[in-house]
């Protein structure tokens, strides 16, 4: 069984087609990059997959569950990190862990065990009782990701997770993604940073709501006879109907 299967998935808002009959599959344990410029349709597509937006047409399953009829089962089997984080900044680090652990149905003993491991991994022992709002941006992102996989979901969806941080923090964040994939968690990540495509097993590139390319980074660069994924994207973006403002 594939972690994600999508067939002709479409989302329209009136006369505007935000996601136009996209097709792809994601294997279990894969790091799948969902790339494209801002406004290409990445976030809209993700919202359909995680059960926050009903498709206009097409088919899709996530962790074996149907996006039309089984959205609650999907939500119980995935993790999600949004562009603007999923943390409560007026709660402490420990309170956020306890809150999200409770939402995911973890026992108090399990939450404490997970918290100890999380503090050790992120070196956050001294910040356990600090308000999340007081943490540097990079730590907030690492914490947000850690909470998204606190319950060991089958799939984690990351929407622009490294936006606004420095290159070193971005690299550290991707180390965490690799660790999650090594544990068998499928990672579905959207980004407009084309260099991050190099870290993925496979990538798709959206342009104007369509998937215009899908393959490994190496194969895409070979196909377009270019050196970087930025060059691949530029080749595709030249055909875009809607230019970035």
């Amino acid at each position: 069984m594939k972690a994600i299967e999508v067939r002709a998935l479409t989302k329209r808002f009136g006369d505007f087609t935000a996601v136009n009959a996209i097709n792809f599959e994601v294997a279990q344990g894969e790091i799948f990059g969902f790339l494209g410029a801002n406004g290409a349709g990445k976030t809209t597509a993700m919202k359909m997959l995680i059960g926050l937006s009903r498709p206009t047409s097409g088919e899709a399953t996530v962790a074996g569950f149907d996006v039309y009829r089984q959205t609650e089962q999907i939500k119980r089997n995935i993790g999600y990190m949004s562009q603007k984080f999923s943390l409560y900044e007026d709660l402490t680090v420990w309170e956020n862990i306890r809150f999200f652990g409770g939402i995911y149905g973890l026992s108090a003993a399990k939450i404490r065990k997970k918290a100890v491991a999380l503090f050790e991994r992120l070196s956050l022992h001294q910040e356990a009782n600090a308000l999340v709002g007081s943490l540097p941006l990079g730590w907030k992102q690492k914490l947000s990701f850690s909470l998204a996989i606190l319950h060991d979901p089958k799939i984690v969806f990351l929407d622009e997770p490294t936006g606004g941080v420095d290159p070193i923090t971005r690299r550290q964040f991707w180390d965490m993604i690799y660790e999650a994939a090594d544990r068998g968690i499928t990672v579905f990540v959207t980004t407009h940073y084309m260099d991050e495509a190099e870290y993925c097993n496979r990538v798709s590139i959206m342009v104007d709501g369509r998937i215009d390319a899908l393959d490994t980074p190496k194969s895409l660069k070979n196909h377009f006879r270019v050196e970087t994924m930025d060059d691949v994207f530029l080749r595709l973006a030249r055909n875009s109907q809607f230019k970035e403002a």
Side-chain angles (χ1 to χ4, degrees):
M1 182 182 72
K2 299 291 185 180
I4 302 172
E5 295 184 85
V6 174
R7 296 286 178 270
L9 195 65
T10 300
K11 181 67 177 183
R12 299 188 186 91
F13 297 96
D15 294 332
F16 175 66
T17 301
V19 177
N20 190 359
I22 60 175
N23 299 278
F24 64 90
E25 296 178 349
V26 180
Q28 293 181 357
E30 183 174 20
I31 300 175
F32 186 82
F34 205 59
L35 280 60
N38 290 329
K42 305 185 305 297
T43 297
T44 300
M46 178 182 281
K47 286 182 177 179
M48 289 190 283
L49 295 178
I50 65 177
L52 294 182
S53 179
R54 186 177 178 83
T56 303
S57 61
E59 301 176 358
T61 59
V62 176
F65 300 106
D66 182 80
V67 296
Y68 291 95
R69 299 177 291 102
Q70 298 173 302
T71 56
E72 291 306 311
Q73 290 95 320
I74 288 173
K75 292 173 185 176
R76 287 197 291 268
N77 283 276
I78 66 170
Y80 174 60
M81 177 179 167
S82 70
Q83 288 175 296
K84 299 185 182 300
F85 315 115
S86 308
L87 303 174
Y88 289 93
E89 297 206 346
D90 56 347
L91 297 180
T92 67
V93 172
W94 165 239
E95 288 169 338
N96 268 276
I97 295 172
R98 187 167 55 193
F99 175 78
F100 283 99
I103 286 178
Y104 295 141
L106 302 181
S107 66
K110 188 81 168 183
I111 292 172
R112 285 194 295 271
K113 183 178 179 180
K114 293 275 190 179
V116 170
L118 190 155
F119 289 139
E120 181 68 28
R121 186 168 62 252
L122 299 184
S123 299
L124 275 175
H125 299 91
Q126 294 184 350
E127 287 74 25
N129 294 313
L131 293 178
V132 164
S134 70
L135 298 179
L137 177 60
W139 278 12
K140 288 180 185 178
Q141 287 176 299
K142 294 174 187 177
L143 178 61
S144 186
F145 176 66
S146 297
L147 294 183
I149 60 173
L150 191 70
H151 56 310
D152 297 315
K154 295 180 179 178
I155 307 166
V156 62
F157 288 85
L158 309 175
D159 191 9
E160 305 279 359
T162 58
V165 299
D166 61 88
I168 293 176
T169 302
R170 284 173 61 195
R171 180 66 254 187
Q172 293 171 342
F173 191 92
W174 274 91
D175 286 340
M176 295 175 66
I177 290 177
Y178 288 145
E179 291 171 4
D182 286 342
R183 288 161 46 193
I185 298 175
T186 302
V187 179
F188 184 100
V189 54
T190 75
T191 180
H192 62 272
Y193 292 120
M194 293 301 121
D195 61 307
E196 292 189 343
E198 305 285 356
Y199 307 148
C200 301
N201 300 126
R202 287 187 307 138
V203 298
S204 68
I205 300 179
M206 288 194 75
V207 178
D208 299 338
R210 307 180 313 273
I211 291 180
D212 276 8
L214 196 164
D215 211 327
T216 66
K218 181 179 179 180
S219 294
L220 287 173
K221 288 185 291 185
N222 288 341
H223 175 76
F224 288 98
R225 298 180 180 179
V226 294
E227 295 295 324
T228 70
M229 287 301 299
D230 270 313
D231 295 326
V232 171
F233 176 73
L234 288 173
R235 289 284 187 91
L236 295 169
R238 287 194 185 105
N239 297 322
S240 173
Q241 296 178 24
F242 307 103
K243 305 301 181 184
E244 291 291 302

